[in-house]
């Protein structure tokens, strides 16, 4: 007779890990991600505050120490489809970003760099605490449709369509320039995630995330399942993961299926590692071979 498992309540996600493994274990990657995100904002602020620019520019285009260019691949792609050839530094900056994220980790920009992640994480946390579970059902493939529409629309109009409403750049400008005019856009996304669709923006609509998903599809660092037998179906990982569909195959697929989260939609945030009281997950390489693949 199969053993019965009782899932934890969504609002208690991480509580069991905190009780069994300690506070730091239950929040370590979340804390490290916040340090990373806030440090990048501080690097943008270094010029206005200390008159020494670590990062000059914004999330669409910047320079590290006035030497290394960074350019958003989406804005570069928009420029190219309009028929405009960007400056060589812009192209180099895009290549630097593409190569880095193609090698490192799937959608690491979304979870470790993007400032909007703090907004959507806050909405998801509040949603769990308030017990808001009904959501508008949206296809997760819609973000790739939005990405294609932006590129086609930019090609037709000859303008950088996305930059008119880019919430990542808007949120970054709020910190750097103190501009509140685009605060409404950030608020709309927060309320959309909170009240309309769970993980609605990052998980279903964001074209930047779609772009980084394509870029990092074959990246090296992945979330690995150490041993399926440890899983007690508490569901905490599903409750905190912004892309919970990526967990199904590694955790519950056939014995011959990979136990590495290879889906391009995984944002490599590490929250499943944080909240798992049974230490089922770990960071690892896409090339690691799993030795314990027996189904639970």
């Amino acid at each position: 007779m199969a053993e019965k498992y009782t899932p934890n309540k969504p609002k208690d996600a991480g509580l069991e890990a905190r009780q069994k493994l300690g506070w730091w274990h239950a929040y370590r990657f979340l804390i490290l991600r916040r340090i990373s995100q806030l440090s990048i904002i501080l690097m943008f602020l270094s010029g206005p505050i200390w008159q020494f620019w670590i990062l000059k520019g914004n999330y669409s285009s910047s320079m590290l120490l006035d030497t290394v260019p960074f350019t958003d691949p989406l804005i570069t792609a928009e420029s190219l489809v309009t028929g405009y050839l960007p400056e060589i530094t812009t192209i180099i900056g895009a290549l630097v970003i593409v190569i880095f994220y193609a090698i490192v980790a799937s959608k690491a920009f979304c979870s470790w760099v993007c400032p909007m992640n703090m907004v959507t994480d806050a909405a998801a946390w509040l949603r769990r605490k308030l017990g808001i579970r009904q959501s508008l059902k949206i296809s997760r493939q819609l973000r790739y449709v939005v990405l294609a529409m932006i590129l086609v629309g930019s090609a037709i109009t000859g303008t950088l369509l996305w930059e008119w409403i880019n919430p990542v750049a808007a949120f970054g400008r709020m910190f750097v320039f103190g501009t509140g005019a685009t605060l409404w856009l950030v608020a709309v996304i927060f309320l959309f995630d909170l009240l309309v669709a769970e993980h609605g923006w990052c998980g279903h609509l964001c074209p930047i995330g779609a772009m980084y998903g394509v870029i990092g599809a074959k990246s090296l660092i992945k979330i690995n399942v150490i041993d399926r037998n440890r899983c007690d179906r508490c569901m905490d990982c599903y409750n905190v993961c912004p892309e919970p569909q990526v967990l199904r195959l590694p955790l519950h697929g056939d014995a011959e299926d990979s136990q590495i989260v290879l889906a391009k939609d995984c944002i490599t945030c590490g929250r499943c590692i944080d909240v798992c009281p049974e230490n089922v997950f770990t960071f690892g390489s896409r090339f690691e071979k799993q030795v314990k693949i027996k189904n639970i």
Side-chain angles (χ1 to χ4, degrees):
M1 184 174 177
E3 184 178 355
K4 288 188 67 177
Y5 298 96
T6 303
N8 295 330
K9 295 178 180 179
K11 68 176 183 179
D12 293 330
L15 176 61
E16 190 178 352
R18 192 164 66 245
Q19 293 172 338
K20 286 186 175 181
L21 304 172
W23 186 88
W24 168 250
H25 185 283
Y27 295 102
R28 52 186 168 160
F29 290 115
L30 176 61
I31 293 170
L32 291 173
R33 282 169 44 225
R34 293 294 176 263
I35 291 173
S36 173
Q37 292 157 344
L38 293 173
S39 295
I40 291 168
I41 291 172
L42 190 61
M43 285 191 281
F44 278 119
L45 290 171
S46 64
I49 295 176
W50 300 296
Q51 287 73 54
F52 174 74
W53 292 97
I54 300 176
L55 276 175
K56 181 185 291 184
N58 53 50
Y59 286 90
S60 295
S61 180
S62 60
M63 292 286 289
L64 175 63
L65 300 175
D66 280 325
T67 304
V68 182
F70 298 140
T71 312
D72 175 17
L74 180 53
I75 194 174
T76 306
E78 287 180 273
S79 298
L80 291 172
V81 298
T82 62
Y84 171 75
L85 184 63
E87 295 181 359
I88 187 64
T89 53
T90 299
I91 296 175
I92 292 173
L95 288 175
V96 168
I97 293 297
V98 168
I99 292 171
F100 177 80
Y101 287 106
I103 294 174
V104 177
S106 174
K107 296 177 73 172
F109 173 86
C110 301
S111 54
W112 293 83
V113 177
C114 180
M116 282 302 299
N117 176 255
M118 294 185 287
V119 175
T120 56
D121 272 4
W125 175 84
L126 186 58
R127 188 184 184 96
R128 291 194 300 272
K129 294 303 179 183
L130 295 177
I132 303 174
R133 300 301 293 170
Q134 295 299 318
S135 293
L136 175 69
K137 299 300 181 182
I138 308 174
S139 170
R140 291 185 180 272
Q141 300 306 310
L142 183 57
R143 53 189 148 190
Y144 298 100
V145 176
V146 173
L147 175 60
M149 289 174 60
I150 288 171
L151 295 177
V152 171
S154 296
I156 293 173
T157 63
T159 60
L160 306 180
L161 289 182
W162 177 240
E163 295 315 299
W164 289 92
I165 57 170
N166 184 348
V168 177
F171 196 35
R173 284 194 295 270
M174 285 169 49
F175 283 103
V176 178
F177 302 110
T179 304
T182 51
L183 181 61
W184 67 270
L185 184 58
V186 177
V188 165
I189 291 175
F190 176 82
L191 292 174
F192 178 74
D193 271 30
L194 177 63
L195 302 174
V196 180
E198 189 172 11
H199 303 298
W201 175 251
C202 295
H204 299 82
L205 297 176
C206 180
I208 298 177
M211 175 70 81
Y212 279 104
V214 174
I215 290 171
K218 301 298 182 181
S219 54
L220 298 180
I221 298 174
K222 297 292 181 181
I223 303 293
N224 293 351
V225 174
I226 300 172
D227 183 2
R228 289 176 180 173
N229 294 312
R230 297 182 184 180
C231 178
D232 62 2
R233 308 281 179 103
C234 72
M235 300 303 289
D236 279 3
C237 58
Y238 282 93
N239 289 327
V240 301
C241 181
E243 304 278 0
Q245 75 282 359
V246 306
L247 299 174
R248 294 189 187 113
L249 185 62
L251 277 179
H252 311 300
D254 295 332
E256 64 271 15
D257 289 328
S258 171
Q259 286 189 277
I260 305 172
V261 181
L262 297 174
K264 66 180 182 299
D265 291 334
C266 176
I267 69 172
T268 326
C269 65
R271 280 301 280 152
C272 57
I273 305 174
D274 282 343
V275 303
C276 181
E278 306 301 330
N279 284 318
V280 172
F281 303 96
T282 186
F283 276 114
S285 163
R286 68 180 297 115
F287 303 112
E288 288 183 29
K289 293 183 178 180
Q290 304 299 322
V291 294
K292 296 182 180 180
I293 59 175
K294 182 181 178 181
N295 282 326
I296 59 175

